[in-house]
Amino acid sequence: MARISIKDLVKIFGGYIAVDRISLSIRDGEFVIIVGPSGCGKTTTLNMISGLETPDAGEIIIGDMVVNDLEPGERGLGMVFQDLALFPHMTVFENIAFGLRVKKFPESEIVARVTSAAATVHIETLLNKMPRQCSGGESQRVALARTIVTNPSVFLMDEPLSSLDAKLRVDMRTELKSLHKRLGATFVYVTHDQAEAMTMADRIVVMSRGRIEQVGTPLEIYNRPSTRFVAGFFGTPTMNFIEGTVEANGNARLFRADGLHHPLSTAVPAALAGRKVVLGVRSEHVLIADGAELRGITQLTEPLGDATLVHFDDGRGHDLVAKVGPATGIQPGSAMCFRFASDYCHLFDTADGTRIY
Ligand SMILES: Nc1ncnc2c1ncn2[C@@H]1O[C@H](COP(=O)(O)OP(=O)(O)OP(=O)(O)O)[C@@H](O)[C@H]1O
Ligand SMILES: [Mg+2]
């Protein structure tokens, strides 16, 4: 069973706490993506699972066994790194076969396994090429095949797509996702790219400064971010944030910030009245409509093709972004009316950023 469980894992580098007591359970066959900004401890966490780093405290369990004291090679894991490190003087076939040759597999089995792994990532025609004759995307697949061939029940991947251009990265996302389905193995994947995490993961683990901020499915993370950090990390453009206060008037709930006031969902608890909060609203939930209660002046527009971003200010120091249809006639400098979709307004604590509503 390729379940992985980590408990209260800690890693300290010379007094700096890189990983700060994180706990996580990964199910057999799950595709889990650890995401967060540079330096938040993703690689360190993955390296402790693989055995390349020794934890200062905590437990790592793979299947039913505590593996803290096992060497990387004894943990039954396959690793794919950002740095592909293909052997330049060996053909693609020999690169893929390398791990099997080390383990002295018979030639017939090597040929069968390499052929099958190559077919899995669609590089059957590259087997006689040298690595320098392969494109970035092809090399990436060779690196994957080299891991697939050893038949691990767990794949650990650290930014394996980071050396690829934008288009190829997007193509490889689809391929990795279907590869995961076909292999049925457990994938633990590290990236700083929120879009990669959203599109591929069964569950996302969001890290910040050595800690886990939230664990959830992509839609849970996007729709109900548990902290302001998570809310701001996911989604392009970044969520709009405005500091203000909650007010309650009978059944009505209101958000007020100097000069701007806006209805909130009636489900917002009355107990929050008077509380200082940060209102978060995504650009797709900022609605530009004639007759809406709030007024703004358009600063600039960014056509994306399928949508247009409208950057505007409300004349009271709030710079906001709305995502509107591609055919909008809104021009920079023009006045407009806007409101927020009340059911999609998130409220965070001003001090610690935790979700309040
Ligand atoms: N061997 C080391 N010695 C000292 N400090 C280290 C070492 N490895 C990592 N760190 C520090 O620990 C922190 C976490 O590093 P880690 O490599 O896990 O980050 P990351 O989330 O993978 O970042 P990135 O997205 O840039 O790869 C960083 O502040 C880093 O400088
Ligand atoms: Mg890293």
Side-chain angles (χ1 to χ4, degrees):
M1 281 290 278
R3 271 180 290 138
I4 301 173
S5 159
I6 59 184
K7 289 184 186 155
D8 296 322
L9 216 52
V10 175
K11 183 69 193 178
I12 302 170
F13 291 114
Y16 178 78
I17 305 175
V19 173
D20 190 4
R21 268 183 297 130
I22 68 170
S23 298
L24 179 67
S25 288
I26 299 169
R27 294 187 281 272
D28 184 36
E30 200 175 16
F31 196 155
V32 164
I33 299 192
I34 303 176
V35 68
S38 187
C40 71
K42 307 179 296 291
T43 295
T44 308
T45 302
L46 200 72
N47 286 350
M48 287 192 282
I49 298 174
S50 70
L52 296 175
E53 292 279 10
T54 312
D56 289 297
E59 224 171 41
I60 302 157
I61 300 159
I62 300 177
D64 295 315
M65 194 170 28
V66 177
V67 299
N68 286 49
D69 296 327
L70 293 189
E71 292 296 320
E74 300 168 339
R75 297 188 184 190
L77 310 167
M79 288 178 253
V80 186
F81 297 105
Q82 168 182 357
D83 167 18
L84 306 165
L86 298 179
F87 299 114
H89 58 286
M90 289 183 186
T91 60
V92 165
F93 182 98
E94 287 305 325
N95 264 283
I96 300 173
F98 184 78
L100 304 178
R101 294 218 188 279
V102 169
K103 290 188 183 147
K104 307 242 182 304
F105 276 67
E107 186 64 26
S108 57
E109 168 123 29
I110 291 179
V111 171
R113 283 216 199 185
V114 171
T115 312
S116 151
T120 305
V121 290
H122 313 296
I123 52 167
E124 302 96 313
T125 56
L126 301 181
L127 289 173
N128 295 319
K129 279 190 166 185
M130 301 304 280
R132 71 184 137 75
Q133 298 170 311
C134 298
S135 71
E138 289 167 350
S139 305
Q140 199 66 69
R141 280 175 232 201
V142 176
L144 270 171
R146 197 172 50 172
T147 305
I148 292 169
V149 83
T150 62
N151 204 12
S153 51
V154 178
F155 282 69
L156 301 181
M157 297 188 244
D158 193 351
E159 308 249 9
L161 306 184
S162 58
S163 56
L164 304 183
D165 67 52
K167 167 81 170 74
L168 207 48
R169 282 182 80 122
V170 173
D171 293 347
M172 283 298 289
R173 278 186 209 159
T174 327
E175 293 202 16
L176 276 176
K177 201 166 169 168
S178 60
L179 179 69
H180 172 255
K181 263 218 173 78
R182 267 178 286 146
L183 296 178
T186 306
F187 277 27
V188 186
Y189 184 105
V190 160
T191 180
H192 61 270
D193 182 342
Q194 51 103 9
E196 225 166 85
M198 286 291 295
T199 47
M200 293 194 298
D202 291 327
R203 273 193 311 157
I204 296 175
V205 178
V206 191
M207 284 187 73
S208 164
R209 294 194 227 147
R211 287 173 174 269
I212 292 179
E213 289 270 325
Q214 185 171 3
V215 181
T217 64
L219 289 183
E220 279 165 5
I221 300 258
Y222 191 82
N223 294 329
R224 283 191 71 81
S226 63
T227 63
R228 179 179 172 172
F229 172 85
V230 176
F233 193 79
F234 285 85
T236 333
T238 301
M239 187 183 271
N240 297 288
F241 293 111
I242 308 172
E243 285 196 28
T245 313
V246 177
E247 293 179 0
N249 186 358
N251 282 332
R253 304 287 175 266
L254 203 72
F255 171 80
R256 189 180 292 279
D258 38 53
L260 178 153
H261 47 98
H262 197 280
L264 294 171
S265 161
T266 50
V268 170
L272 291 181
R275 177 101 171 239
K276 284 212 181 327
V277 296
V278 176
L279 172 94
V281 58
R282 295 200 187 278
S283 60
E284 62 265 37
H285 300 133
V286 179
L287 311 173
I288 295 181
D290 287 341
E293 51 265 47
L294 300 171
R295 313 228 171 280
I297 302 285
T298 307
Q299 299 301 329
L300 59 92
T301 59
E302 281 182 278
L304 302 176
D306 58 344
T308 292
L309 300 182
V310 178
H311 296 253
F312 63 97
D313 72 68
D314 69 347
R316 294 182 178 89
H318 304 119
D319 292 317
L320 302 165
V321 186
K323 191 182 271 181
V324 302
T328 180
I330 295 173
Q331 294 296 327
S334 63
M336 34 80 99
C337 300
F338 71 97
R339 65 185 176 83
F340 305 138
S342 299
D343 287 340
Y344 296 91
C345 287
H346 309 261
L347 301 178
F348 302 101
D349 186 76
T350 318
D352 66 11
T354 53
R355 181 186 191 87
I356 300 170
Y357 176 81

